Amino acid sequence: MRLSNIVLLVVLGAGPALAEGAPDVSTDLTVDMAPQQFRICNDRPARPVWMDELHPREAYKALTMMDLYELRAWARIAETGDCSCEVRFPEWDGADKEYQERFDALPQPDHTALRLEWVETRKSLEVSVRQICREQGNW
């Protein structure tokens, strides 16, 4: 009897203490249509609509497109020494055109191989791009 009373007191006493540290959970499922806020460059151009309309099995295409977009932007930053928002987050048209012409028809394994190659290229650019962008307040 005593042990069960102690267990009951501990459980009842721990509830409010645990609730204080628990994160707020909302049951509100309302979609927030407010523009996404970023730490830098909030006026980023919208990505192509087709990227959001892909079947989940073709999500690799959107990943390839995002990697291509970032790689082209980083190469431009390294080349010009300019990390303004317009250079860091350019319009998607150029990358979209290049993607459609060169990569869209490729099978998934080729997309994966391309992205692995691009990781190495991005790594080679990262140090200089990070330095340029930090100096200009856009990292």
Side-chain angles (χ1 to χ4, degrees):
M1 177 82 168
R2 288 179 123 180
L3 184 57
S4 63
N5 288 342
I6 292 172
V7 169
L8 185 59
L9 286 174
V10 169
V11 169
L12 291 176
L18 291 175
E20 289 177 17
D24 293 331
V25 176
S26 173
T27 57
D28 180 14
L29 300 177
T30 305
V31 175
D32 180 10
M33 296 305 289
Q36 185 173 358
Q37 294 295 305
F38 301 98
R39 190 177 48 78
I40 58 166
C41 301
N42 278 305
D43 292 333
R44 299 176 187 188
R47 66 188 193 175
V49 175
W50 66 261
M51 293 173 66
D52 296 324
E53 295 176 347
L54 288 171
H55 187 279
R57 289 186 181 167
E58 292 188 317
Y60 65 90
K61 292 181 176 187
L63 293 174
T64 301
M65 176 64 174
M66 287 186 290
D67 284 350
L68 175 65
Y69 174 81
E70 183 177 65
L71 185 61
R72 296 302 180 242
W74 280 25
R76 183 87 173 127
I77 292 167
E79 176 185 310
T80 64
D82 179 13
C83 189
S84 63
C85 291
E86 294 78 25
V87 175
R88 180 129 190 237
F89 300 101
E91 293 296 326
W92 285 82
D93 298 344
D96 190 23
K97 182 178 179 185
E98 181 180 356
Y99 175 83
Q100 296 300 330
E101 290 174 357
R102 297 180 61 197
F103 309 116
D104 185 49
L106 297 177
Q108 183 175 0
D110 291 350
H111 279 256
T112 302
L114 276 169
R115 291 197 333 265
L116 289 173
E117 285 177 32
W118 292 345
V119 165
E120 295 305 316
T121 306
R122 204 167 37 243
K123 281 181 185 178
S124 70
L125 292 170
E126 185 177 2
V127 173
S128 63
V129 168
R130 181 184 302 153
Q131 181 180 352
I132 293 166
C133 292
R134 276 193 177 150
E135 289 172 1
Q136 296 176 22
N138 274 340
W139 186 258

